[in-house]
Amino acid sequence: MHDAEPFAPSEYCEHLVNLARDLGAEPRTERIEVAAAAGRVLAEDVVAPADSPRFDNSQMDGYALNAAAVHRENRFFHVGPVVPAGTDPAKDYPQGLDREDTVCPIMTGAKLPEGTCAVVPVEKCDPPEFAAPGDQVRIPQPPEGQFVRPAASDLRRGETLVSEGRTVTPQTVGALASQNVRSVEVWARPRVLICTGGEEISQSGVLDQAQLPDANGPMMEALAGHHGLEVVQRIVTGDDPQDLSNRLEGALRRWRPDLVVTSGGISHGAFEVVRQVLESQPRAWFGHVAQQPGGPQGCAALAGVPVIALPGNPVSTLVSFRLFVAPLVARVWGAAVEPPVLAARLSCDVEGVPAKTQFRRGRLALGENATVSAEVVGGAGSHLLAQSVGADCLIEVPPASHLFRGDVVSVHPLAPHLHHEEQI
Protein backbone atom coordinates (compact mmCIF):
# COMPACT_ATOMS: atom_id res chain seq x y z
CA MET A 1 0.00 0.00 0.00
CA HIS A 2 1.50 3.35 -0.97
CA ASP A 3 0.57 6.94 -0.10
CA ALA A 4 -2.95 6.13 1.04
CA GLU A 5 -5.04 8.52 3.11
CA PRO A 6 -3.10 9.57 6.21
CA PHE A 7 -3.57 7.58 9.37
CA ALA A 8 -4.39 9.30 12.61
CA PRO A 9 -1.51 8.62 15.06
CA SER A 10 -3.55 6.18 17.18
CA GLU A 11 -4.77 4.37 14.05
CA TYR A 12 -1.25 3.93 12.75
CA CYS A 13 -0.10 2.55 16.08
CA GLU A 14 -2.87 -0.06 15.93
CA HIS A 15 -1.91 -0.84 12.31
CA LEU A 16 1.65 -1.64 13.42
CA VAL A 17 0.41 -3.83 16.26
CA ASN A 18 -1.79 -5.80 13.85
CA LEU A 19 1.09 -6.15 11.38
CA ALA A 20 3.38 -7.64 14.02
CA ARG A 21 0.71 -10.03 15.29
CA ASP A 22 -0.25 -11.09 11.78
CA LEU A 23 3.40 -12.00 11.20
CA GLY A 24 3.37 -14.26 14.24
CA ALA A 25 4.95 -11.99 16.82
CA GLU A 26 4.02 -13.13 20.30
CA PRO A 27 5.35 -12.78 23.84
CA ARG A 28 7.71 -15.31 25.32
CA THR A 29 9.14 -15.66 28.79
CA GLU A 30 12.50 -16.35 30.37
CA ARG A 31 13.68 -17.01 33.91
CA ILE A 32 16.40 -14.73 35.22
CA GLU A 33 18.14 -14.11 38.51
CA VAL A 34 16.44 -11.58 40.78
CA ALA A 35 19.55 -9.39 40.92
CA ALA A 36 19.35 -8.92 37.13
CA ALA A 37 15.59 -8.36 37.00
CA ALA A 38 15.40 -4.60 37.65
CA GLY A 39 13.56 -2.92 34.79
CA ARG A 40 12.04 -6.17 33.52
CA VAL A 41 8.31 -6.95 33.46
CA LEU A 42 7.11 -9.94 35.48
CA ALA A 43 5.37 -12.74 33.63
CA GLU A 44 4.03 -14.33 36.81
CA ASP A 45 2.66 -13.45 40.22
CA VAL A 46 5.27 -13.95 42.94
CA VAL A 47 3.73 -15.32 46.13
CA ALA A 48 5.49 -14.87 49.46
CA PRO A 49 6.95 -18.20 50.60
CA ALA A 50 7.26 -16.93 54.18
CA ASP A 51 5.96 -14.31 56.56
CA SER A 52 7.70 -10.95 56.51
CA PRO A 53 9.16 -10.46 59.05
CA ARG A 54 9.65 -14.17 59.60
CA PHE A 55 9.55 -13.74 63.37
CA ASP A 56 8.88 -11.10 66.01
CA ASN A 57 11.98 -8.94 66.21
CA SER A 58 13.28 -5.86 67.94
CA GLN A 59 13.11 -2.43 66.33
CA MET A 60 15.73 -1.05 68.72
CA ASP A 61 18.89 -1.88 70.64
CA GLY A 62 17.41 -2.17 74.12
CA TYR A 63 15.79 -4.39 76.71
CA ALA A 64 12.95 -6.81 76.01
CA LEU A 65 10.31 -7.09 78.76
CA ASN A 66 7.38 -9.44 79.25
CA ALA A 67 3.88 -8.19 80.15
CA ALA A 68 4.41 -8.59 83.89
CA ALA A 69 7.65 -6.58 83.71
CA VAL A 70 5.96 -3.85 81.70
CA HIS A 71 3.41 -3.29 84.46
CA ARG A 72 5.70 -3.97 87.45
CA GLU A 73 5.85 -1.13 89.99
CA ASN A 74 9.51 -1.75 90.87
CA ARG A 75 11.39 -0.48 87.77
CA PHE A 76 14.72 -2.11 88.71
CA PHE A 77 15.46 -5.37 86.84
CA HIS A 78 18.12 -8.02 86.63
CA VAL A 79 19.87 -8.20 83.25
CA GLY A 80 19.71 -11.55 81.49
CA PRO A 81 21.87 -12.99 78.67
CA VAL A 82 22.37 -10.84 75.57
CA VAL A 83 20.56 -11.80 72.32
CA PRO A 84 22.46 -10.55 69.23
CA ALA A 85 20.81 -10.40 65.81
CA GLY A 86 20.96 -13.79 64.11
CA THR A 87 20.89 -15.75 67.40
CA ASP A 88 18.01 -17.98 68.46
CA PRO A 89 16.86 -16.57 71.83
CA ALA A 90 15.57 -20.01 72.87
CA LYS A 91 19.20 -20.99 73.55
CA ASP A 92 19.39 -18.70 76.58
CA TYR A 93 15.65 -18.25 77.18
CA PRO A 94 14.20 -21.75 76.64
CA GLN A 95 11.04 -20.82 78.53
CA GLY A 96 10.92 -17.35 76.97
CA LEU A 97 10.74 -14.27 79.20
CA ASP A 98 9.16 -16.03 82.18
CA ARG A 99 10.29 -13.71 85.00
CA GLU A 100 8.98 -10.26 85.75
CA ASP A 101 12.22 -9.16 87.42
CA THR A 102 14.52 -10.07 84.51
CA VAL A 103 14.91 -8.38 81.14
CA CYS A 104 16.69 -9.41 77.97
CA PRO A 105 19.33 -7.16 76.34
CA ILE A 106 18.51 -7.41 72.64
CA MET A 107 19.91 -5.93 69.44
CA THR A 108 18.05 -4.37 66.51
CA GLY A 109 16.60 -7.04 64.21
CA ALA A 110 17.16 -9.87 66.70
CA LYS A 111 14.45 -12.45 67.21
CA LEU A 112 12.53 -11.67 70.40
CA PRO A 113 12.22 -14.28 73.16
CA GLU A 114 8.80 -15.79 73.62
CA GLY A 115 6.61 -13.64 75.81
CA THR A 116 8.14 -10.30 74.86
CA CYS A 117 5.63 -7.49 75.33
CA ALA A 118 7.76 -4.40 74.65
CA VAL A 119 11.29 -3.17 74.01
CA VAL A 120 12.82 -0.14 75.73
CA PRO A 121 15.77 1.58 73.99
CA VAL A 122 18.95 1.24 76.01
CA GLU A 123 19.60 4.99 75.98
CA LYS A 124 16.31 5.54 77.86
CA CYS A 125 17.48 3.35 80.74
CA ASP A 126 19.77 3.86 83.73
CA PRO A 127 22.59 3.28 82.98
CA PRO A 128 22.08 4.42 79.34
CA GLU A 129 24.35 1.66 78.01
CA PHE A 130 24.06 -2.09 78.22
CA ALA A 131 24.76 -3.49 81.68
CA ALA A 132 26.52 -6.82 82.17
CA PRO A 133 24.38 -9.95 82.67
CA GLY A 134 23.46 -10.23 86.34
CA ASP A 135 23.68 -6.49 86.97
CA GLN A 136 20.70 -4.30 87.71
CA VAL A 137 19.19 -1.66 85.41
CA ARG A 138 16.39 0.84 85.88
CA ILE A 139 13.90 0.80 82.97
CA PRO A 140 11.02 3.26 82.49
CA GLN A 141 7.58 1.82 81.91
CA PRO A 142 6.81 1.42 78.17
CA PRO A 143 3.46 0.98 76.42
CA GLU A 144 2.67 -2.57 75.38
CA GLY A 145 3.98 -3.39 71.91
CA GLN A 146 6.59 -0.62 71.90
CA PHE A 147 9.36 -1.26 69.32
CA VAL A 148 8.16 -4.81 68.66
CA ARG A 149 8.03 -5.77 64.98
CA PRO A 150 5.44 -8.55 64.81
CA ALA A 151 5.91 -11.45 62.45
CA ALA A 152 3.97 -11.03 59.17
CA SER A 153 3.36 -7.33 59.84
CA ASP A 154 4.77 -6.55 56.38
CA LEU A 155 3.44 -9.55 54.43
CA ARG A 156 1.87 -12.92 55.20
CA ARG A 157 2.99 -16.20 53.69
CA GLY A 158 0.88 -16.97 50.61
CA GLU A 159 0.05 -13.35 49.85
CA THR A 160 1.06 -11.88 46.50
CA LEU A 161 4.34 -10.04 46.86
CA VAL A 162 4.34 -8.59 43.34
CA SER A 163 1.90 -9.14 40.48
CA GLU A 164 2.38 -10.21 36.89
CA GLY A 165 2.75 -7.25 34.58
CA ARG A 166 4.58 -5.07 37.11
CA THR A 167 8.01 -3.68 36.31
CA VAL A 168 10.67 -4.86 38.74
CA THR A 169 12.12 -1.93 40.67
CA PRO A 170 15.13 -1.88 43.00
CA GLN A 171 12.78 -2.15 45.97
CA THR A 172 11.10 -5.12 44.31
CA VAL A 173 14.51 -6.78 44.04
CA GLY A 174 15.07 -6.16 47.74
CA ALA A 175 11.66 -7.55 48.70
CA LEU A 176 12.16 -10.65 46.56
CA ALA A 177 15.62 -11.23 47.98
CA SER A 178 14.25 -10.83 51.52
CA GLN A 179 11.92 -13.74 50.73
CA ASN A 180 14.85 -15.82 49.45
CA VAL A 181 13.38 -15.76 45.94
CA ARG A 182 16.35 -16.43 43.66
CA SER A 183 14.81 -16.12 40.18
CA VAL A 184 11.68 -14.82 38.49
CA GLU A 185 9.86 -15.37 35.21
CA VAL A 186 9.85 -12.22 33.05
CA TRP A 187 8.68 -11.33 29.56
CA ALA A 188 11.59 -11.69 27.17
CA ARG A 189 12.81 -8.59 25.41
CA PRO A 190 12.21 -8.70 21.65
CA ARG A 191 15.42 -8.56 19.64
CA VAL A 192 15.63 -5.53 17.37
CA LEU A 193 17.82 -4.65 14.43
CA ILE A 194 18.33 -0.89 14.04
CA CYS A 195 19.17 0.73 10.72
CA THR A 196 20.10 4.39 10.21
CA GLY A 197 22.05 6.35 7.65
CA GLY A 198 22.26 7.92 4.24
CA GLU A 199 25.33 9.26 2.47
CA GLU A 200 25.19 12.38 4.62
CA ILE A 201 25.89 10.27 7.73
CA SER A 202 29.53 9.47 8.41
CA GLN A 203 30.17 5.79 9.00
CA SER A 204 33.73 6.34 10.20
CA GLY A 205 33.24 9.22 12.58
CA VAL A 206 35.43 11.42 10.41
CA LEU A 207 33.34 14.22 8.91
CA ASP A 208 33.88 15.97 5.61
CA GLN A 209 32.31 19.33 4.80
CA ALA A 210 28.87 17.92 3.96
CA GLN A 211 28.53 15.05 6.45
CA LEU A 212 26.93 14.65 9.84
CA PRO A 213 27.51 12.31 12.78
CA ASP A 214 25.00 9.52 13.31
CA ALA A 215 22.79 10.90 16.07
CA ASN A 216 19.81 8.66 15.39
CA GLY A 217 21.61 5.34 15.79
CA PRO A 218 22.82 5.89 19.37
CA MET A 219 19.56 7.62 20.28
CA MET A 220 17.52 4.70 18.99
CA GLU A 221 19.70 2.24 20.91
CA ALA A 222 19.01 4.20 24.07
CA LEU A 223 15.28 4.36 23.28
CA ALA A 224 15.23 0.64 22.58
CA GLY A 225 16.78 -0.19 25.94
CA HIS A 226 14.42 2.18 27.71
CA HIS A 227 11.33 0.61 26.12
CA GLY A 228 12.17 -3.06 26.58
CA LEU A 229 14.04 -3.99 23.39
CA GLU A 230 17.35 -5.81 23.05
CA VAL A 231 19.46 -4.36 20.23
CA VAL A 232 21.28 -7.12 18.35
CA GLN A 233 22.95 -4.95 15.70
CA ARG A 234 22.98 -1.41 14.38
CA ILE A 235 23.43 -0.95 10.61
CA VAL A 236 24.55 2.34 9.07
CA THR A 237 23.67 2.48 5.38
CA GLY A 238 24.53 4.71 2.45
CA ASP A 239 22.31 5.46 -0.56
CA ASP A 240 22.86 2.16 -2.42
CA PRO A 241 19.66 0.05 -2.25
CA GLN A 242 21.44 -3.19 -3.08
CA ASP A 243 24.01 -2.63 -0.36
CA LEU A 244 21.26 -2.00 2.19
CA SER A 245 19.32 -5.04 1.00
CA ASN A 246 22.41 -7.22 1.39
CA ARG A 247 23.13 -5.85 4.85
CA LEU A 248 19.58 -6.36 6.05
CA GLU A 249 19.36 -9.89 4.69
CA GLY A 250 22.70 -10.82 6.24
CA ALA A 251 21.71 -9.40 9.62
CA LEU A 252 18.33 -11.16 9.52
CA ARG A 253 20.03 -14.50 8.82
CA ARG A 254 22.58 -13.97 11.56
CA TRP A 255 20.46 -12.55 14.36
CA ARG A 256 16.88 -13.66 13.57
CA PRO A 257 15.47 -10.52 15.22
CA ASP A 258 11.86 -10.04 16.22
CA LEU A 259 11.71 -6.52 14.83
CA VAL A 260 13.56 -4.14 12.51
CA VAL A 261 13.38 -0.38 13.09
CA THR A 262 14.85 1.99 10.53
CA SER A 263 15.31 5.76 10.50
CA GLY A 264 15.27 7.90 7.37
CA GLY A 265 15.09 7.15 3.68
CA ILE A 266 11.30 6.80 3.37
CA SER A 267 10.00 10.05 1.88
CA HIS A 268 9.95 11.31 -1.74
CA GLY A 269 13.60 12.23 -2.34
CA ALA A 270 15.78 10.75 -5.06
CA PHE A 271 17.73 8.59 -2.60
CA GLU A 272 15.09 7.13 -0.30
CA VAL A 273 17.00 3.89 0.09
CA VAL A 274 14.85 2.32 2.82
CA ARG A 275 11.69 2.85 0.84
CA GLN A 276 13.32 1.51 -2.33
CA VAL A 277 14.29 -1.72 -0.55
CA LEU A 278 11.03 -2.25 1.34
CA GLU A 279 8.23 -0.98 -0.88
CA SER A 280 8.11 -4.22 -2.90
CA GLN A 281 7.99 -6.40 0.25
CA PRO A 282 4.81 -7.98 1.68
CA ARG A 283 2.56 -5.76 3.77
CA ALA A 284 4.48 -2.67 2.67
CA TRP A 285 2.90 0.70 3.40
CA PHE A 286 4.51 4.09 2.92
CA GLY A 287 2.58 7.27 3.43
CA HIS A 288 1.76 9.88 5.99
CA VAL A 289 0.42 9.97 9.51
CA ALA A 290 -1.49 13.15 10.29
CA GLN A 291 1.01 14.44 12.83
CA GLN A 292 3.89 16.86 13.18
CA PRO A 293 6.75 16.02 13.46
CA GLY A 294 7.00 12.53 12.05
CA GLY A 295 4.46 12.68 9.22
CA PRO A 296 6.23 10.33 6.77
CA GLN A 297 6.06 6.74 8.00
CA GLY A 298 6.43 3.26 6.60
CA CYS A 299 6.23 -0.41 7.45
CA ALA A 300 6.66 -3.78 5.77
CA ALA A 301 7.47 -7.44 6.32
CA LEU A 302 11.01 -8.57 5.49
CA ALA A 303 11.63 -12.32 5.63
CA GLY A 304 8.61 -12.55 7.92
CA VAL A 305 9.94 -9.91 10.32
CA PRO A 306 7.98 -6.69 10.90
CA VAL A 307 9.86 -3.56 9.82
CA ILE A 308 8.95 -0.16 11.24
CA ALA A 309 10.38 2.64 9.09
CA LEU A 310 10.61 5.96 10.92
CA PRO A 311 11.41 9.37 9.41
CA GLY A 312 15.00 10.51 9.64
CA ASN A 313 14.94 13.99 11.17
CA PRO A 314 16.18 13.41 14.74
CA VAL A 315 13.17 14.78 16.61
CA SER A 316 10.83 12.98 14.18
CA THR A 317 12.67 9.76 15.01
CA LEU A 318 12.39 10.45 18.74
CA VAL A 319 8.68 11.29 18.58
CA SER A 320 7.83 8.37 16.29
CA PHE A 321 9.73 5.86 18.40
CA ARG A 322 7.87 6.99 21.51
CA LEU A 323 4.44 7.05 19.85
CA PHE A 324 4.67 3.86 17.78
CA VAL A 325 7.55 1.56 18.73
CA ALA A 326 7.13 1.84 22.51
CA PRO A 327 3.42 0.91 22.52
CA LEU A 328 4.09 -1.85 19.98
CA VAL A 329 6.65 -3.51 22.25
CA ALA A 330 4.33 -3.27 25.25
CA ARG A 331 1.22 -4.58 23.50
CA VAL A 332 2.77 -7.36 21.42
CA TRP A 333 5.66 -8.64 23.55
CA GLY A 334 4.82 -7.32 27.02
CA ALA A 335 8.49 -6.55 27.60
CA ALA A 336 7.79 -3.07 28.97
CA VAL A 337 4.80 -1.40 30.55
CA GLU A 338 3.10 0.80 27.98
CA PRO A 339 3.83 4.43 28.81
CA PRO A 340 0.61 6.15 29.87
CA VAL A 341 -1.05 9.21 28.46
CA LEU A 342 -1.30 11.76 31.25
CA ALA A 343 -3.25 14.98 31.70
CA ALA A 344 -1.65 18.33 32.46
CA ARG A 345 -2.46 22.02 32.30
CA LEU A 346 -0.59 24.17 29.81
CA SER A 347 1.67 26.83 31.25
CA CYS A 348 1.48 28.92 28.05
CA ASP A 349 -0.68 29.50 24.97
CA VAL A 350 -0.15 27.08 22.05
CA GLU A 351 -1.44 27.21 18.47
CA GLY A 352 -2.11 23.94 16.64
CA VAL A 353 -1.53 23.31 12.95
CA PRO A 354 -4.24 22.51 10.38
CA ALA A 355 -5.17 18.85 9.80
CA LYS A 356 -2.36 17.44 11.96
CA THR A 357 -1.87 16.51 15.59
CA GLN A 358 1.23 18.31 16.77
CA PHE A 359 3.55 16.88 19.40
CA ARG A 360 5.52 19.63 21.08
CA ARG A 361 8.35 18.76 23.39
CA GLY A 362 7.50 19.68 26.95
CA ARG A 363 8.48 19.55 30.59
CA LEU A 364 6.14 18.63 33.42
CA ALA A 365 6.07 20.33 36.80
CA LEU A 366 4.07 19.74 39.97
CA GLY A 367 2.41 22.90 41.21
CA GLU A 368 0.05 23.93 43.98
CA ASN A 369 -2.68 21.48 45.00
CA ALA A 370 -0.80 18.70 43.15
CA THR A 371 -1.61 20.29 39.80
CA VAL A 372 0.59 19.00 36.96
CA SER A 373 1.57 21.64 34.42
CA ALA A 374 3.24 21.25 31.03
CA GLU A 375 5.68 23.80 29.68
CA VAL A 376 6.70 23.86 26.02
CA VAL A 377 10.43 23.24 25.55
CA GLY A 378 12.21 24.48 22.43
CA GLY A 379 10.85 25.05 18.96
CA ALA A 380 8.59 22.88 16.84
CA GLY A 381 11.17 22.02 14.14
CA SER A 382 12.06 18.35 13.66
CA HIS A 383 15.79 19.14 13.51
CA LEU A 384 15.93 20.88 16.91
CA LEU A 385 17.35 17.92 18.81
CA ALA A 386 19.49 19.95 21.20
CA GLN A 387 16.46 22.00 22.18
CA SER A 388 14.65 18.81 23.19
CA VAL A 389 17.25 17.86 25.81
CA GLY A 390 15.25 19.45 28.64
CA ALA A 391 11.98 17.76 27.64
CA ASP A 392 10.45 14.91 29.61
CA CYS A 393 7.17 14.61 27.67
CA LEU A 394 5.39 15.21 24.38
CA ILE A 395 2.50 17.68 24.56
CA GLU A 396 -0.34 16.63 22.25
CA VAL A 397 -1.84 19.61 20.42
CA PRO A 398 -5.03 18.76 18.49
CA PRO A 399 -5.33 19.89 14.84
CA ALA A 400 -6.17 23.57 14.28
CA SER A 401 -6.56 24.15 18.00
CA HIS A 402 -6.13 27.38 19.93
CA LEU A 403 -4.99 26.40 23.39
CA PHE A 404 -4.56 28.79 26.27
CA ARG A 405 -2.62 28.76 29.50
CA GLY A 406 -4.47 26.53 31.96
CA ASP A 407 -6.13 24.35 29.30
CA VAL A 408 -5.92 20.62 29.93
CA VAL A 409 -3.90 18.66 27.37
CA SER A 410 -2.76 15.07 26.92
CA VAL A 411 0.95 14.47 27.46
CA HIS A 412 3.09 11.46 26.59
CA PRO A 413 5.93 10.98 29.10
CA LEU A 414 9.47 10.47 27.84
CA ALA A 415 11.22 10.15 31.19
CA PRO A 416 11.07 6.86 33.14
CA HIS A 417 10.19 8.53 36.46
CA LEU A 418 6.99 9.82 34.86
CA HIS A 419 5.71 6.39 33.83
CA HIS A 420 2.92 6.28 36.37
CA GLU A 421 -0.52 7.75 36.67
CA GLU A 422 -0.50 11.48 37.35
CA GLN A 423 -3.64 13.48 37.91
CA ILE A 424 -4.23 17.13 37.14
Side-chain angles (χ1 to χ4, degrees), residues 139-155:
I139 298 177
Q141 184 175 15
E144 291 189 9
Q146 175 178 276
F147 298 129
V148 172
R149 294 170 173 160
S153 57
D154 184 23
L155 187 71

Side-chain angles (χ1 to χ4, degrees), residues 44-61:
E44 62 177 358
D45 289 345
V46 180
V47 174
D51 289 341
S52 176
R54 291 171 179 257
F55 42 78
D56 293 352
N57 70 89
S58 177
Q59 188 177 339
M60 291 285 181
D61 297 328

Side-chain angles (χ1 to χ4, degrees), residues 318 360-364 375-378 385-395 412-415 417-418:
L318 169 68
R360 298 294 299 270
R361 275 64 68 205
R363 181 166 50 242
L364 296 177
E375 174 190 5
V376 173
V377 174
L385 185 59
Q387 292 186 18
S388 73
V389 168
D392 58 21
C393 70
L394 303 176
I395 301 172
H412 303 257
L414 296 172
H417 68 281
L418 292 170

Side-chain angles (χ1 to χ4, degrees), residues 208-233:
D208 68 18
Q209 293 298 317
Q211 284 193 307
L212 298 169
D214 182 12
N216 286 348
M219 180 177 68
M220 289 171 69
E221 280 202 54
L223 286 165
H226 177 63
H227 291 293
L229 287 157
E230 177 189 348
V231 179
V232 294
Q233 186 179 348

Side-chain angles (χ1 to χ4, degrees), residues 36-379:
R40 303 297 296 273
V41 178
L42 287 172
E44 62 177 358
D45 289 345
V46 180
V47 174
D51 289 341
S52 176
R54 291 171 179 257
F55 42 78
D56 293 352
N57 70 89
S58 177
Q59 188 177 339
M60 291 285 181
D61 297 328
Y63 292 101
L65 294 74
N66 64 17
V70 165
H71 298 288
R72 185 170 180 255
E73 289 189 15
N74 184 349
R75 303 312 302 166
F76 287 90
F77 299 88
H78 295 292
V79 176
V82 178
V83 177
T87 300
D88 186 353
K91 175 183 176 183
D92 290 310
Y93 299 89
Q95 305 302 317
L97 292 181
D98 57 349
R99 297 184 55 173
E100 68 174 54
D101 64 345
T102 301
V103 294
C104 167
I106 194 156
M107 304 302 120
T108 301
K111 183 178 181 180
L112 291 166
E114 289 291 327
T116 296
C117 181
V119 174
V120 178
V122 64
E123 63 270 20
K124 300 294 185 182
C125 302
D126 184 16
E129 61 274 335
F130 284 111
D135 288 353
Q136 275 200 334
V137 62
R138 186 180 185 281
I139 298 177
Q141 184 175 15
E144 291 189 9
Q146 175 178 276
F147 298 129
V148 172
R149 294 170 173 160
S153 57
D154 184 23
L155 187 71
R156 291 191 177 279
R157 178 182 178 181
E159 290 183 340
T160 299
L161 175 60
V162 59
S163 301
E164 183 271 333
R166 295 293 298 273
T167 300
V168 177
T169 63
Q171 60 266 36
T172 310
V173 171
L176 292 167
S178 75
Q179 288 282 317
N180 204 30
V181 175
R182 303 296 182 88
S183 64
V184 287
E185 197 81 7
V186 298
W187 295 112
R189 289 173 169 164
R191 293 153 54 84
V192 63
L193 175 68
I194 289 174
C195 176
T196 61
E199 290 297 335
E200 74 276 15
I201 301 300
S202 171
Q203 298 191 32
S204 65
V206 178
L207 306 178
D208 68 18
Q209 293 298 317
Q211 284 193 307
L212 298 169
D214 182 12
N216 286 348
M219 180 177 68
M220 289 171 69
E221 280 202 54
L223 286 165
H226 177 63
H227 291 293
L229 287 157
E230 177 189 348
V231 179
V232 294
Q233 186 179 348
R234 177 156 58 92
I235 295 174
V236 180
T237 181
D239 287 343
D240 183 344
Q242 189 58 54
D243 177 64
L244 174 59
S245 180
N246 292 340
R247 290 191 187 203
L248 286 174
E249 290 175 5
L252 288 172
R253 286 195 302 270
R254 178 181 180 185
W255 297 109
R256 299 184 181 277
D258 300 289
L259 179 66
V260 178
V261 181
T262 70
S263 174
I266 62 171
S267 192
H268 295 281
F271 302 99
E272 306 294 352
V273 61
V274 172
R275 180 169 182 158
Q276 292 172 44
V277 170
L278 295 178
E279 63 185 349
S280 62
Q281 298 298 320
R283 302 294 297 270
W285 177 89
F286 289 89
H288 282 78
V289 174
Q291 69 178 54
Q292 184 190 72
Q297 297 286 339
C299 59
L302 187 61
V305 177
V307 183
I308 313 302
L310 309 179
N313 279 324
V315 177
S316 296
T317 298
L318 169 68
V319 170
S320 300
F321 201 107
R322 167 60 183 83
L323 294 179
F324 304 132
V325 181
L328 172 74
V329 174
R331 296 179 196 178
V332 174
W333 289 281
V337 174
E338 183 171 351
V341 179
L342 311 180
R345 296 189 183 276
L346 278 173
S347 62
C348 60
D349 298 348
V350 178
E351 292 291 319
V353 296
K356 294 180 180 179
T357 301
Q358 191 177 46
F359 293 94
R360 298 294 299 270
R361 275 64 68 205
R363 181 166 50 242
L364 296 177
L366 190 62
E368 295 181 2
N369 301 317
T371 299
V372 179
S373 64
E375 174 190 5
V376 173
V377 174

